[in-house]
Amino acid sequence: MALEGELDIATAPLLIDAVVRALEARRPRLDLDVAALTFCDAAGVHALLQARRICRVHRAGFRLVGVRPGLGRILVLLRLTDLLTSPAEPVGSGAGAGSPDPLHASSPPSRLPFPARLPLPKESMS
């Protein structure tokens, strides 16, 4: 699954819904491609952690791929690099279990279009 745009308090629920739908299809693992994310705030990081937790409940592997330097720095500062970039093997499966590629690699990854951040209205200084 590929994310693009901004992952924040307004878009985090979209990610969680998409993760739940993907796992209801009994996927053995979920790779989130975050290369096209342009922004990720605390709510976005929380959503990523929540997505990983949902994967564990469903006994599915979880991995972030395409982590760009900005998000990478956030993960380092929060000491979450090991937590969020863990191997994508399903929980309880042996290595090399022959599970299919995440979300059928033959089809294009689903994209979640996150809206651009709206500018705040300018207030007069009178």
Side-chain angles (χ1 to χ4, degrees), residues 28-86:
R29 69 183 195 195
L30 181 67
D31 289 349
L32 286 182
D33 183 350
V34 295
L37 278 183
T38 58
F39 178 79
C40 183
D41 66 2
V45 171
H46 178 53
L48 294 172
L49 288 168
Q50 199 173 1
R52 182 179 186 271
R53 198 171 308 121
I54 292 167
C55 285
R56 280 192 165 178
V57 167
H58 283 57
R59 302 187 59 80
F62 177 83
R63 177 174 65 169
L64 289 181
V65 295
V67 178
R68 293 171 59 187
L71 180 57
R73 280 190 299 276
I74 291 170
L75 298 177
V76 167
L77 288 171
L78 295 174
R79 297 180 184 185
L80 295 175
T81 53
D82 292 340
L83 184 67
L84 291 174
T85 57
S86 61

Side-chain angles (χ1 to χ4, degrees), residues 96-119:
S99 57
D101 290 335
L103 303 179
H104 304 289
S106 60
S107 61
S110 57
R111 289 233 178 255
L112 295 177
F114 291 124
R117 182 172 297 278
L118 299 174

Side-chain angles (χ1 to χ4, degrees), residues 3 5-7 11 17 21 24 26 40 49 74 96 100 114 120:
L3 308 180
E6 298 183 355
L7 182 56
T11 58
D17 289 343
R21 280 194 315 268
E24 284 173 348
R26 304 212 185 272
C40 183
L49 288 168
I74 291 170
F114 291 124
L120 296 174

Side-chain angles (χ1 to χ4, degrees), residues 12-27:
L14 298 173
L15 171 61
I16 300 307
D17 289 343
V19 167
V20 169
R21 280 194 315 268
L23 293 174
E24 284 173 348
R26 304 212 185 272
R27 306 280 184 207

